[in-house]
Amino acid sequence: MKQKFVTFMLALLATTALFAQNKVTGNVSDAQGPAIGVSVVEKGTNNGVITDIDGNYAITVKPGATLVFSSIGYATQEIAVGSQKVIDVVLSEDTEFLDEVVVVGYGTMKKSDLAGASVSMKEDAIKGSIITNIDQSLQGRAAGVTAVQTSGAPGSSSSIRVRGQATINANAEPLYVIDGVIMQGGGNSGADFGLGDALGNGKVSTISPLSTINPADIVSMEILKDASATAIYGAQGANGVVLITTKRGKAGDAKFTYDGLFAIARQTKRLDMMNLRDYAAYYNDLIAQGVFGTENALYADPSILGKGTNWQDEIFRTALQHQHQISAQGGTDKVQYYVSGSYMNQEGTIIGSNFRRFSVRTNLDAQLKKWLKLGLNVTYANTKDDLKLADSNEGLIYYSLTTLPDIPVYDVYGNYSSTVREGYTSPNPVALAMLNERRLDRQKLTGNIYAEVTPIKHLVWRSELGFDISGSKATRYEPMVDLGGWKRTQNAMRSQKNSNYFWQLKNYITYSNTFGKHSFSAMLGQELWESRWDYLSGATTDLPSDDVHNVSLGDSNSAKVGSGYGSAAMASFFTRETYNYDDRYLLTYTYRYDGSSNFGPKNRWAGFHSFALAWKFSNEKFFEAAKSVVNSGKLRFGWGQTGNANIGAYAWGSALSSMPSALGVGYRPANIPNESIRWEKQQQFNVGLDLSFLESKINLTVDAYYKRSDDMLMGMQLPSYMGTQGNGSSALAAPKGNYGSIENKGFEITLDTHPISTSSFSWDSNLQFSFNRNKLLGLDGTSNAALVGYGQWSDVVCVSEIGKPLYNFYGYVVEGVYESYEDIMNSPKPEKFPADGVFDRRNTVWVGDIKYKDINNDGVINEQDRTDIGSPFPLFTFGWTNTFRYKNWDLSIFLNGSYGNKVLNYNALTLTHMNSAWTNQLRSIADRAQLVPIDPDKVYDGTGNMNSWYDDITNVKVANPGTKTPRPTTDDPNDNDRISTRYVEDGSYLRIKNITLGYTLPKSLLQKAKIENVRVYCNIQNLYTFTKYTGYDPEVGASTQDATGLTYGVDNGRYPSPTLYSFGVSFTF
Amino acid sequence: MNMKNMYKGFAIIAAVLAVVSCEKFLERPTEDGYNVDNFYKNDLQCEQGVNYLYNSPWYDFQRGFIKIGEVMSGNMYWGDSPYLSFTTNGTDVDLVNMSYSLWAVNGHANTVIHNIQNAKGPSEAAKRKYIGEALVWKAFAYFFMVRTFGAVPIIHDNSELLSSGGYNSVKKVDREGVYEYIIYTIETAMNMLPKQTSGWNQRIDYYGAEALLAKVYLTKAGLSGQLSNDDLTKAAQYAKDVIDHSGRTLTPVFSDVFRLAPSVYNATGESLISWQWTVTGEQWTRQNTLQSDLAMVGFDENGDVWGGWGGPSVDLQEAFGVKPTDDPALRIAEKDTRRKATMMMPGDVYDYFWTDKGGFDFLRFIYDKDDYGAGGPGGHMQCQTGANNVKHLYGDNADHKAAVGVPAARMANQLPTHLIRLSDVYLMYAEAKFLTNGADEALLYVNKVRERAGADQLDAITYDDIWKERRLELAGEGDRWYDYVRRSYYDMQYCIDELKSQHRSTYYGLDDLYMGYYETEVWNKKHQLDNVGYPGINVDNPNVTASSFQLPFPTEDVVFNGNMASDAVPEHVENIREAYPYNF
């Protein structure tokens, strides 16, 4: 397209010497007003002009000429001049235009020529959401892509899965390629940046590498889904590829755009926790039942108490966000530029969390010679994150829920208060949020320089040098704290600087030509990249005061230094051939041969093939008759191989890490080596159908796929007796190798319709559904191998069994509670059934305990009765966007949702456990098993340890036998809070994700002020979520707490996504 | 530079890079550290390769060590702990971590042994010495496992088992087999370890291994249900060899055994096998963390202490002949120094803690809440047994720095944890002799232990005396529960009865009593004793049964291997030494 344009511009310049015969003037406009820069050409000649800023033109033509009005994005019109002197034209938008050219990796293609499965997202869709990170915009917008936000923290990451989870690797995220440069992450976990476990122990954290990219610079994203499309990325393409294209300048006068936005975010949902009155009543009730020992006089009369502290209100706040972007673009026919600068500041809805980003970008293109084009893209970004640990059993959400309402935020002196009771510290979540500092500052300079040479016609050689240089500084500071009940008199600080250098060089030659009905292209290329990283850290304790946070101020005896460095590299060769016969049959073949430094000499190289075939049956003669209804139809078939090498460097050997002891320095083997480790391979079949009805008013795309990953790269899952489990720095890491197979199959429907499109009113609708099923086909080893994922530390919550979907929740099935002694005696025997028949409410099973199901019917309830209790993956996800335009108004409503997924409400485990007086509970425990005496008059004298009816199992029954909430018990001998169906909830939801109402000021009004365009809009994000889920938010992605990375959908206090109300304005002048 | 030159530059770079050998470009082993292939090249590297077996893999066992060894045995009170009430199940986090840790020790030991055995470069003597140390640690891990879980699988060589693919179908081996494996492992180690008889260092030598062997024989003696004379004889013989030939003697001052500086705690070689923690470096698991769980809030400066709500049980106090309701003045006459070195009680002042503040005063710390005890319990005593722990405490940062030159850090100190001490060997010897008609020898060695402690000499001895002496000498050191386990092998009912009759619960009213004493310096001035009582609820008379003496093997492994189920029948291996041979 660009070349066409350039050719045209050159043509235009050639038309200097002409003889005038007939002058025609007129005005060209579109629905919004005057159309600027529209080319008006006398057909069949080089004679042409372009319209001015008011849309006016004047051209002199020969008699009988025909004028051709054309402009990018509009349907071309031809008008015979005849005797007219004035010709006004209203251009209509070309709906096919947006689909015309898409980036496919190492080149572009016409969308209609694509044989593979990919999906485009244009600027409009990105703009429709108020987002900090581009990955957030993928949610519900692209069929086959599931995007789940890991956290509602500002600038946080999303778990993106293209066509399901296809690898066990923690890094199942797609490959991001920005203007041809592979995006460098710098890490997924807090530990990668030097924050240790401050953000949890998981393989993923809420830190997002993509948050360094300014979404406003992006013009389009292509998500390559099937292997025939991704295979060109070979070894890096197994998880899908997202190609991001940034804005470039267009020839013409400089245009300036200002975009500004102001937003307010808040948490609209609170969990229904007990307030002080509820808590006092609960406490007293438990005293009466002999569960808690000591009465508390303060609680004696709950009715005189207030509501106490609502800790949720204390840690959540109404947060402000504002962002500004200014850009300039323009250029001559030879040189075009796009320059932008942006700043954003986003407060988190949890106090103390904050995200700031500053970025600048310059994109330049220069046509130096007819045969030589050069270009440059450079972007610099600087981000500052104030991070908080929201989830986990040490996170702010957890503490805000469990801290009792009888503790004030501040004591009478205005200091933070806290309370320690029987060894249980309530660490004042507000103090925790405000005092401990966890900061991450990042800088990133990325870009590329390219040269495009056309030595002969039809042949283009492109050379590109890309780079990504980034650095980060992570700071943890733990100040001296005096919370009354808890004190830290020695402060501690740790700081780490990371540097990453990445460069990539690629060269590829493309030849394309057409001979009659045959057109073809062939591309051959080479690529090389290297990535180097290093870090240096320092830590000290005992800084003289908390005023200056500098590691070197601490006690030098306590100083610790850390350092490390390493590198990775890849070398590749690739080719792609396409063939098009008569615009009816399309054929694509790609091959890539990759070598990765992650593998040992034996298995370093691997090749990946793919084929795709498409049949545009609507261009067949026999289809002519149907064309009035189906104006376009294409059937696609693709097969391809891709790979995955994401295992980290040197997994084929065994590195030694240092571990000091009192005997001096020590070195420990980090893992068991596996020399034969090799590529993870994936194969995918795809069948797709594209149909357009009624002059493209209705467009339907359906794709079905089957993909299978083999030789899956992962740490081997071994039983604990192999010494490979537990604390990562003490266990012996299991060997990494090729241990499993997974299949994913599914289909995707996109229905894109334009029911109404008149010049004053239009309605566009886009509906998409994605269905995916995955299954673990096998794990190396015996048939009973499985993958185990953990909740907080070492409690098994997810098990992936062979023949079943990944990450199924795993636990016991709850049947109810034991209603009476007889009920216990007549049921299968739980573990704490007393062998000697002597029941004791403190250390044997008791009335009111949970009755678990005896799955294997052996009459005993034990660990073998655990089973699959639900899948965290949805049956389908969907998104529906409706855009309405009426004159200068536009309204967009975007709904998205997920159906059939389960969420493990891990928080509820503590919030309903009723085994301590010192953790606040959900109000829903009001339906707990109420124990009452069968015979209230029975007298006890202390024999057999029986002092009251509640010690006598034969005299206890449950007053509300239908309940599924157990009795309160501080000893919990029956383990009522083990992982069970009690905590597995339906996570289906329908969310009103975005509503945007915009108004564009009429151009007639703006012209006088020389302003081209002004649009004001307001947007509400996450307005409402329809769900049965009882936690904050059913959207829960990968776990940030599980060190194995083998859990999904576990809500361990996830930072909930806020509701965002924003107001924005956009000027172009 | 004009664009054309730039383009030329590109072309040149491209050409050069394309020519560079890809293979060389892609060969990237670890750059910033050693790997298995370039390490273990000399004697020092063998030593460094074994050093971490003295701390890191054991790290996650620290809580289980206290909770099983001390809380379950009734030596220590710990709030709602399931170990106090005998309700521990197979998903208990401390139990699971303990199991992870012990298996990690075994896995690491196997790997290091394999690496050193195949190393080219180190001297044969060094290879034997360090393989020997690794073997002792491996044996010790199994010793903890067999006493805690009973039958467990034998993982003899991790990499071999991995390559054979049978790792998900191994079976538990019965206790007899596991004991035999432990003995074989220690005997192998003793053949390789040097006999160190002077210049005590902190490493395991021949006599450390022999002391462990004595303990294994003593433990195993009752396994069949009846005491084996052979085993007892061997236990006595090995213990006596350590006593007579190792050159080690008891440290003159009992409390010195538990101090930080190697020159103090190991001046006479009393400690035979210890975990050797450090604060150097940042690597988690290098360090001792026990003070956090065992000391009162505010005991050190790092904001990392929360253990004040638990402490030595009333039952243990009674064993020492003290009660929380005793007038502290009576303790002036106290002879047995072990009481104060084990538990802090009203009136106690420790000159070796808080050396920068003139010593640590128990009651002042609790009740002088705004000054001396600022940041501490804040005017109320926490552990309602009336006592707090002393063993495993290092003090504050100044104490730490004075002893080893560096301050402690958050949840990190350097205090070694002793697993076998010479006085334990004395008592083992005494017990083994007593049970094989050697009461005189038994009396002699029990009295030696008592003499060092300052306690009165016994005139005659009974089995109960030895049983109790072990408790007093080793209280808090993670060993008591295993005394019950070995006794339960042949005398189950005694153990059940004793545990059920313990005073495992707390008092009420002590806080007022102690506060009054602190303020008035007169005991019971306002008759606070009238409001003190021991209700004995909750955890007295726990539900102890025969099955209590074997803790559930963590249940998660059942997912991988059904043979790990709690009711799986263990395998009996006829000849352990042939089935799992060592070829050194």
Side-chain angles (χ1 to χ4, degrees), chain B residues 74-79 293-297 306-326 328 331 334 338-348 350 360 362-363 365-367 377 380-391 393 475 503-511 513-514 523 532 534:
Chain B
N75 272 355
M76 195 182 289
Y77 171 78
W78 192 306
D293 279 350
L294 299 178
M296 281 181 284
V297 61
W306 42 75
W309 298 93
S313 66
V314 172
D315 203 70
L316 181 65
Q317 294 173 41
E318 288 167 351
F320 273 109
V322 295
K323 284 208 290 282
T325 50
D326 287 344
R331 291 198 206 109
E334 183 179 66
R338 294 175 299 191
R339 196 279 308 159
K340 190 179 163 190
T342 306
M343 58 183 79
M344 44 180 84
M345 300 184 76
D348 286 341
Y350 294 83
F360 182 81
F362 177 61
L363 287 188
F365 177 64
I366 296 172
Y367 295 112
H380 294 286
M381 67 167 297
Q382 296 183 330
C383 183
Q384 304 302 320
T385 65
N388 277 98
N389 296 304
V390 178
K391 285 180 181 174
L393 269 49
H503 291 151
R504 299 165 76 94
S505 188
T506 53
Y507 274 81
Y508 59 84
L510 291 178
D511 191 29
L513 176 69
Y514 294 173
W523 186 249
V532 172
Y534 180 83

Side-chain angles (χ1 to χ4, degrees), chain A residues 1039-1068:
Chain A
S1039 167
T1040 60
Q1041 296 303 319
D1042 177 12
T1044 65
L1046 298 174
T1047 54
Y1048 201 85
V1050 176
D1051 184 3
N1052 190 1
R1054 174 188 173 276
Y1055 195 137
S1057 298
T1059 303
L1060 193 72
Y1061 309 87
S1062 54
F1063 172 81
V1065 61
S1066 169
F1067 281 102
T1068 307

Side-chain angles (χ1 to χ4, degrees), chain A residues 909-930:
Chain A
L909 202 136
T910 316
L911 300 181
T912 60
H913 69 179
M914 297 178 286
N915 64 18
S916 162
W918 314 126
T919 46
N920 200 13
Q921 303 283 290
L922 283 165
R923 205 179 285 183
S924 65
I925 58 155
D927 78 339
R928 62 188 175 270
Q930 298 286 347

Side-chain angles (χ1 to χ4, degrees), chain A residues 6-18 46 48 332-334:
Chain A
V6 169
T7 318
F8 166 72
M9 295 301 285
L10 292 170
L12 202 63
L13 288 164
T15 61
T16 43
L18 285 166
N46 286 336
T332 66
D333 57 312
K334 294 231 165 137

Side-chain angles (χ1 to χ4, degrees), chain A residues 17 84 109 115 149 299 349-350 362 366 387 406 503 510 551 568 571 643 653 692 704 877 909 925 944 982 988 1067:
Chain A
Q84 298 172 82
M109 275 173 97
Q149 259 189 277
Y299 301 152
T349 47
I350 290 183
T362 304
L387 297 156
D406 67 344
W503 60 262
T510 311
V551 171
S692 289
T877 58
L909 202 136
I925 58 155
R982 257 182 98 185
S988 306
F1067 281 102

Side-chain angles (χ1 to χ4, degrees), chain B residues 289-303:
Chain B
T289 310
L290 286 169
Q291 176 156 300
S292 291
D293 279 350
L294 299 178
M296 281 181 284
V297 61
F299 188 66
D300 67 42
E301 295 92 333
N302 303 308

Side-chain angles (χ1 to χ4, degrees), chain A residues 525-696:
Chain A
Q526 156 274 333
E527 186 175 68
L528 207 57
W529 63 251
E530 186 188 28
S531 164
R532 307 196 68 89
W533 58 269
D534 68 84
Y535 78 89
L536 188 61
S537 70
T540 50
T541 59
D542 211 6
L543 284 73
S545 84
D546 291 322
D547 299 327
V548 179
H549 295 187
N550 178 346
V551 171
S552 66
L553 298 175
D555 179 352
S556 58
N557 285 312
S558 69
K560 301 185 196 319
V561 176
S563 162
Y565 50 89
S567 68
M570 189 177 265
S572 318
F573 302 93
F574 48 85
T575 181
R576 174 170 55 216
E577 276 76 45
T578 67
Y579 171 69
N580 179 340
Y581 176 72
D582 197 22
D583 207 21
R584 283 187 283 157
Y585 302 100
L586 310 168
L587 195 66
T588 307
Y589 166 74
T590 65
Y591 177 71
R592 181 160 173 142
Y593 187 60
D594 278 323
S596 164
S597 67
N598 282 357
F599 300 107
K602 291 181 197 162
N603 298 294
R604 195 162 276 156
W605 292 88
F608 306 92
H609 297 271
S610 87
F611 292 101
L613 178 70
W615 177 34
K616 286 194 194 171
F617 55 81
S618 57
N619 289 351
E620 296 285 356
K621 287 218 166 59
F622 65 79
F623 205 77
E624 288 294 333
K627 262 208 151 173
S628 58
V629 182
V630 181
N631 55 301
S632 152
K634 183 163 71 171
L635 189 64
R636 294 177 277 108
F637 173 79
W639 167 86
Q641 299 170 314
T642 47
N644 188 347
N646 279 332
I647 40 154
Y650 195 51
W652 83 86
S654 176
L656 295 179
S657 56
S658 80
M659 174 58 73
S661 81
L663 307 174
V665 66
Y667 289 93
R668 54 188 289 270
N671 60 296
I672 302 170
N674 176 9
E675 277 188 17
S676 57
I677 191 164
R678 60 187 186 274
W679 295 87
E680 174 172 330
K681 285 205 173 141
Q682 194 186 86
Q683 281 195 62
Q684 187 175 176
F685 294 92
N686 188 82
V687 181
L689 180 65
D690 300 326
L691 288 175
S692 289
F693 301 90
L694 306 173
E695 296 174 331
S696 301

